[in-house]
Amino acid sequence: MDLVIRNARVIDGTGRPSYRADVAISADRIAGIHRPGEGPRPTARRVLDAQGLALSPGFIDMHAHSDLALLRDPAHTAKAAQGVTLEVIGQDGLSYAPVDDRTLAEVRAQITGWNGDGSDIDFTWRTVGGYLDRLDHGFAGEGIAVNAAYLVPQGSVRMLAVGWEDRPATAAELDRMKRLVAEGLEQGAVGMSSGLTYTPGMYADDAELTELCRVVAAYGGYYCPHHRSYGAGALRAYEEMIELSRAAGCALHLAHAVMNFGENEGRAPELLALLDAALAGGADISLDTYPYTPGSTTLAALLPGWAGEGGPEAVLARLRDDAVAARIRHALEVTGSDGCHGVTVDWESVEISGVAAPSLAPHVGRTIAHTARERGEEPWTTARRLLLEDRLGPTILQHVGHEENVRTIMRHPVHTGGSDGILHGAKPHPRAYGTFPHYLGHYVRELGVLSLEECVAHLTSRPAARLRLPDRGLIREGNRADLVLFDPETIAAGATFEAPRTLPTGIPYVLIAGRFVMEDGRRTDVLAGRAVRRTPVS
């Protein structure tokens, strides 16, 4: 054997009670699991004594925004140090494949706040397959920090086939979108994502989305929508996605399935009752959440959908026009913008977390309302100025969540973990650096919301099952040696809202494909991550 991990408390990902064992690794696979009294212990070229540590499968981040970070930072310590061995990217309907020259420029501008403008990236690809190949080769042909699976982004697909117009697709345009989704799945994507409060994806009606989901279903993938509202009408928005997926015969994974804003305080049980009824009727549904109350997005995302028609440059032109800007303000502050989930915006809850222009850095860490008071102006004036001066670049934290909803939803049997972590910006949400240790330290050890074994199952085997990856997510012979060794007594998120890039504690070892990417609590130079492609339907 190459490695034996001795005396580990094995938490195997099934949710069943942990047990003591030696786990042997050969190359990139788990070669043997030896419990006390089962005969001679396995030997290896290296033996690691794991006394006092728990051994679990690697954590799977079901909702990540590392699409460019994986190609920008070979260490990618934000995720590796958490024990994340696989991320699912291409989220919220917006990413960098498939594209052409026009739409690449547009999507780069639109999600600058998520990933930077990409000026440091050589965009050599245009297809999903080309992007996955680029991940495979990573840095100097060696690979990337952690594994990555990809969702075909429906908004990017609509950019290619329809553009930025708020109208139904023609029959020819729909056919092209279906071909693009099929090509992405054939090239290795695991499903399709949508961002139905983001332009231009939000312009698609249910009939269009259903047709695309039928394509996803034919390839054995799943649909991952950021649905039309997490605020006013949230339950109806969830119901819409369940009905749509049922009509298409497509598996459904609800992205960051939260119940936010004042309208939804204490209403998580209503969401879970809706899910339970659908599951009892045979629906294939899962969901992910992050273990925090604030959300995070771009400031531009709060604008009404009609303001985004035509693309980023058209948005900026509308913001410069006083009359049109007044209509945008009315939608935000009086009627409730669809970009803000049908809820009137509370500028006290909107905190700037990142900007593109260095001159605007003093605004980071302050709410729009706070900055407006300092400047003696209306909050909308501040927000409009930031959007224009930073060319739609600001990212925000939106303090609109409810702790009781967070705890209630994470207990559900179809729940999985997703960071929704935006790594860009001076003061990102701490979920980007802390989601997985925060689950295990705060919600398991400190609060007892979940047992340790059950929480590990939420973070490992359940997402692996959704991704149809039979050799991941469980500690068993023959499975891939993507593993985490952590101390259940000390594991904790170091990241806070004040210091969001602080690394976690209590995770000394992380292995991907049997190789140490974290050793003695430090990032090694190993690049064992690869693109994880869809398992073909048999």
Side-chain angles (χ1 to χ4, degrees):
M1 302 297 173
D2 295 305
L3 171 68
V4 169
I5 300 171
R6 289 207 192 283
N7 305 314
R9 176 186 174 185
V10 176
I11 304 175
D12 63 8
T14 62
R16 294 193 290 266
S18 60
Y19 58 88
R20 290 284 168 189
D22 298 344
V23 175
I25 296 167
S26 179
D28 64 349
R29 299 281 163 174
I30 298 170
I33 301 170
H34 179 275
R35 302 194 191 206
E38 291 184 339
R41 302 177 84 172
T43 59
R45 283 184 283 277
R46 177 175 177 181
V47 175
L48 175 63
D49 188 350
Q51 190 68 44
L53 299 177
L55 179 68
S56 83
F59 306 137
I60 298 176
D61 188 342
M62 285 295 287
H63 193 103
H65 287 284
S66 303
D67 305 47
L68 298 186
L70 284 163
L71 296 173
R72 177 180 289 129
D73 176 15
H76 200 43
T77 312
K79 295 301 179 69
Q82 291 185 64
V84 171
T85 58
L86 171 60
E87 299 183 276
V88 185
I89 55 178
Q91 299 285 353
D92 295 330
L94 293 165
S95 191
Y96 306 95
V99 292
D100 59 17
D101 291 349
R102 171 184 63 83
T103 61
L104 175 60
E106 292 169 345
V107 77
R108 285 174 61 181
Q110 186 178 17
I111 56 176
T112 290
W114 292 357
N115 300 307
D117 65 7
S119 58
D120 56 338
I121 302 293
D122 183 8
F123 289 92
T124 56
W125 69 88
R126 294 294 182 271
T127 65
V128 169
Y131 176 63
L132 297 180
D133 288 345
R134 177 68 181 277
L135 293 176
D136 273 339
H137 292 97
F139 296 89
E142 291 187 54
I144 49 180
V146 305
N147 297 306
Y150 190 73
L151 296 165
V152 179
Q154 171 257 333
S156 300
V157 166
R158 204 172 206 271
M159 274 184 225
L160 275 168
V162 182
W164 291 80
E165 297 177 45
D166 184 1
R167 61 168 176 79
T170 66
E173 289 165 344
L174 180 57
D175 283 345
R176 187 181 179 200
M177 284 190 281
K178 290 166 68 174
R179 287 196 304 272
L180 288 166
V181 171
E183 288 167 5
L185 291 159
E186 288 168 0
Q187 292 164 12
V190 295
M192 180 181 76
S193 73
S194 284
L196 300 179
T197 63
Y198 299 129
T199 56
M202 69 188 304
Y203 301 147
D205 60 21
D206 285 359
E208 178 180 316
L209 294 170
T210 300
E211 286 300 305
L212 298 181
C213 283
R214 288 195 173 106
V215 175
V216 175
Y219 284 90
Y222 68 93
Y223 180 43
C224 180
H226 163 130
H227 49 275
R228 297 191 194 276
S229 176
Y230 291 83
L235 286 173
R236 176 64 194 116
Y238 281 113
E239 188 177 12
E240 176 193 9
M241 294 299 100
I242 292 170
E243 292 171 353
L244 187 155
S245 64
R246 182 186 291 120
C250 187
L252 177 67
H253 180 83
L254 296 166
H256 36 60
V258 295
M259 293 287 286
N260 283 343
F261 302 93
E263 289 85 340
N264 293 314
E265 185 172 3
R267 299 187 68 188
E270 296 176 56
L271 167 61
L272 300 187
L274 178 66
L275 291 180
D276 287 338
L279 290 164
D284 182 1
I285 303 174
S286 54
L287 59 87
D288 65 69
T289 69
Y290 47 84
Y292 300 88
T293 52
S296 179
T297 187
T298 63
L299 182 58
L302 305 185
L303 303 179
W306 59 261
E309 192 170 6
E313 290 302 323
V315 177
L316 291 167
R318 292 186 179 101
L319 287 167
R320 293 187 195 102
D321 185 309
D322 289 343
V324 180
R327 288 180 57 209
I328 294 172
R329 177 180 184 176
H330 186 82
L332 284 167
E333 297 183 346
V334 179
T335 61
S337 161
D338 51 2
C340 195
H341 309 279
V343 176
T344 55
V345 68
D346 174 10
W347 295 115
E348 295 283 1
S349 74
V350 179
E351 177 186 351
I352 299 298
S353 60
V355 292
S359 62
L360 300 175
H363 295 285
V364 173
R366 299 181 178 186
T367 67
I368 294 291
H370 178 88
T371 297
R373 283 192 296 270
E374 283 189 337
R375 294 176 59 88
E377 61 191 16
E378 294 293 317
W380 164 245
T381 302
T382 301
R384 179 187 179 192
R385 179 173 53 80
L386 286 171
L387 287 166
L388 285 169
E389 291 182 15
D390 209 36
R391 296 187 57 80
L392 312 182
T395 50
I396 61 169
L397 302 182
Q398 202 167 7
H399 297 270
V400 292
H402 307 285
E403 179 65 21
E404 62 181 303
N405 285 349
V406 170
R407 297 187 194 187
T408 299
I409 293 169
M410 74 170 63
R411 292 188 182 101
H412 197 273
V414 301
H415 170 266
T416 67
S419 70
D420 196 12
I422 295 173
L423 298 167
H424 183 68
K427 194 173 180 283
H429 196 304
R431 67 194 185 191
Y433 282 72
T435 285
F436 296 87
H438 198 50
Y439 267 120
L440 295 166
H442 184 60
Y443 285 95
V444 170
R445 183 180 64 248
E446 295 176 2
L447 299 180
V449 174
L450 294 167
S451 72
L452 183 59
E453 289 86 352
E454 181 66 8
C455 188
V456 166
H458 285 227
L459 307 181
T460 59
S461 63
R462 291 183 190 174
R466 166 52 69 220
L467 294 167
R468 299 179 69 241
L469 300 174
D471 62 348
R472 300 174 197 255
L474 293 168
I475 294 180
R476 65 184 179 193
E477 290 188 17
N479 272 21
R480 291 182 63 87
D482 293 355
L483 302 167
V484 181
L485 275 162
F486 66 91
D487 184 345
E489 300 303 316
T490 63
I491 189 170
T496 64
F497 287 97
E498 293 71 33
R501 296 185 187 275
T502 308
L503 297 179
T505 58
I507 308 178
Y509 299 98
V510 180
L511 296 93
I512 295 179
R515 302 169 67 192
F516 286 96
V517 298
M518 295 291 296
E519 190 166 8
D520 295 324
R522 294 187 296 274
R523 178 72 171 93
T524 70
D525 61 0
V526 168
L527 294 168
R530 300 292 185 272
V532 175
R533 289 166 169 81
R534 179 188 58 85
T535 303
V537 178
S538 57

